[in-house]
Amino acid sequence: MKNYKIGLLRGDGIGPEIVDSAVRVLKAVGEKYNIGFTFTPYLIGGAAIDACGIPLPQETVDGCLSSDSVLLGAVGGPKWDNLPGNVRPEKALLGIRAAMGLFTNLRPAKLYPALKDECPLRADIVANGFDIMIVRELTGGIYFGERGYREGKYGEEAYDTEAYSRMEIERIARVAFETARKRNKKLISIDKANVLETSRLWRKIVHEMAAEYPDVTCGDMLVDNAAMQLVRNPSQFDVVVTSNMFGDILSDEASQITGSIGMLPSASLGDTTRGLYEPIHGSAPDIAGQNKANPIATILSAAMMLLYAFDEKAASEAIVNAVDKVLNEGLRTADLARNGATPLTTTEMTDEIIKRL
Ligand code: IPM
Ligand code: MN
């Protein structure tokens, strides 16, 4: 029997609850499909700050690098909000992405037919549904540029800088073109080339590479327009490629139009099969520890891990289908429940998904 070593980064807020849900689902699907898992937890974020004073202990980095893949919950919370930037919980997330070389962030956002009524957009706008794959650059740009404080023209001043090298743009664009090739051969590259130099280089390189992919229809869109188009006509998008910061913002917008931010999984990938899988939502401190969180984004992240890291297609599909079934049957956690319907708890939703595997 195959056995995969999975590092668990539970993190903060609802992180522990949703990771534990996904672990239960993985164990259950593993029994069915004869796949073994060894789970090893490591500290990250606020939990690591509380235990050892820093958000990303070396032990955690080493542990992740020696795992076959990593599942993460979320980091951050009000308790650590006033710490300086370089010791904040969020810094750990950037640190682990960089340490593992995870330059690609895949964030699929699709409208489940069962959740059409939860979508805040008008029915005619989403009549055809949507199924978007956001390919977000994850280890460059303004997130990782030079930053600091200085005396400026008006006194005290802070600055952050965005830099993108040809190499960084080429490798993320390549992932996007290959992804488009496996889907509907439609790629939109999102930038701010009317203002930013990094975007102009980005656009130039994407155009150069488009020549290598004549089978893929490739277009550009300015990010402000993209933000508008996403709510005006989301079905025009298939694969989207964009920078770290634009991808962060647009993926939250995309998640909202699926009905709930609690639905979106993600895969962060590099040059090896060792990736990091996490929901795109945050630690939701307001509902932490209450067994209320929607575990679906994390459970779907585990399904992405089975597919991308381990090529376990059948097991991955079983999870995706089980999620489809619970939604089609009208089962909802609090974020999705409406009209006085009694919502399922995190554990109940997890149980229902496991029953349908
Ligand atoms: C995300 C999060 C992170 C990001 C934060 C917590 C650093 O918002 O994964 O989208 O901005 O990448
Ligand atoms: Mn984000």
Side-chain angles (χ1 to χ4, degrees):
M1 185 167 92
K2 280 162 287 184
N3 194 294
Y4 301 112
K5 275 166 61 182
I6 299 183
L8 296 180
L9 303 176
R10 289 193 174 87
D12 310 316
I14 59 170
E17 303 160 56
I18 55 179
V19 168
D20 290 348
S21 286
V23 165
R24 285 175 53 216
V25 172
L26 280 171
K27 283 182 178 158
V29 88
E31 269 168 36
K32 282 219 142 80
Y33 290 86
N34 213 25
I35 309 166
F37 300 104
T38 309
F39 298 99
T40 315
Y42 300 100
L43 289 169
I44 193 164
I49 296 174
D50 288 351
C52 40
I54 48 169
L56 183 62
Q58 189 57 43
E59 236 185 286
T60 298
V61 176
D62 294 343
C64 290
L65 289 174
S66 65
S67 303
D68 293 319
S69 217
V70 179
L71 187 66
L72 178 132
V75 297
K79 185 175 174 193
W80 309 280
D81 267 350
N82 294 317
L83 293 170
N86 58 340
V87 288
R88 282 180 65 105
E90 290 82 356
K91 184 76 185 169
L93 199 46
L94 305 184
I96 195 68
R97 288 170 180 168
M100 293 175 70
L102 307 173
F103 61 87
T104 300
N105 188 206
L106 301 180
R107 296 190 157 186
K110 69 169 186 180
L111 184 65
Y112 286 82
L115 294 186
K116 261 193 177 152
D117 290 342
E118 270 63 50
C119 173
L121 301 180
R122 240 176 28 223
D124 62 303
I125 295 178
V126 289
N128 298 324
F130 58 84
D131 185 344
I132 307 170
M133 178 63 90
I134 298 177
V135 181
R136 172 191 178 194
E137 199 290 326
L138 200 61
T139 51
I142 199 164
Y143 273 58
F144 289 88
E146 198 191 314
R147 71 184 87 248
Y149 284 87
R150 63 190 170 202
E151 260 322 277
K153 204 157 80 183
Y154 306 107
E156 184 185 15
E157 166 175 296
Y159 65 96
D160 300 274
T161 52
E162 165 136 319
Y164 267 115
S165 63
R166 169 172 285 274
M167 181 280 285
E168 291 172 298
I169 299 168
E170 274 176 5
R171 69 181 179 182
I172 192 68
R174 192 157 305 283
V175 172
F177 277 108
E178 295 292 338
T179 305
R181 208 166 238 184
K182 287 189 209 122
R183 290 172 50 112
N184 296 308
K185 303 186 166 47
K186 230 185 111 193
L187 174 64
I188 295 181
S189 170
I190 296 175
D191 63 35
K192 188 72 185 172
N194 53 348
V195 177
L196 302 178
E197 214 57 68
T198 41
S199 283
R200 288 191 270 268
L201 179 63
W202 181 286
R203 195 176 273 212
K204 185 176 106 176
I205 292 172
V206 168
H207 287 187
E208 283 170 20
M209 291 177 67
E212 285 178 53
Y213 295 87
D215 52 322
V216 175
T217 311
C218 173
D220 312 294
M221 198 179 278
L222 295 173
V223 63
D224 48 351
N225 184 29
M228 182 175 71
Q229 296 298 336
L230 212 41
V231 290
R232 203 186 72 91
N233 176 18
S235 64
Q236 72 186 288
F237 296 101
D238 193 303
V239 179
V240 153
V241 63
T242 193
S243 66
N244 204 341
M245 171 104 118
F246 295 160
D248 178 45
I249 299 168
L250 292 175
S251 59
D252 267 28
E253 189 188 357
S255 77
Q256 238 351 269
I257 60 172
T258 67
S260 168
I261 193 167
M263 294 297 301
L264 257 70
S266 88
S268 301
L269 309 168
D271 284 325
T272 70
T273 56
R274 183 186 307 108
L276 186 149
Y277 296 81
E278 56 172 312
I280 83 147
H281 61 70
S283 58
D286 53 321
I287 56 161
Q290 297 173 34
N291 202 19
K292 272 188 188 166
N294 183 351
I296 291 180
T298 317
I299 290 170
L300 290 174
S301 300
M304 287 184 90
M305 173 190 284
L306 288 172
L307 184 65
Y308 289 94
F310 309 140
D311 203 25
E312 298 283 358
K313 283 200 190 72
S316 176
E317 264 168 34
I319 296 178
V320 172
N321 291 339
V323 169
D324 275 348
K325 279 186 210 151
V326 295
L327 294 174
N328 289 337
E329 289 170 40
L331 303 178
R332 302 283 186 269
T333 40
D335 53 318
L336 292 167
R338 292 194 316 156
N339 305 332
T342 317
L344 266 58
T345 63
T346 310
T347 17
E348 286 166 350
M349 178 56 97
T350 309
D351 293 340
E352 296 300 330
I353 292 171
I354 290 172
K355 267 189 228 162
R356 288 164 182 77
L357 285 172

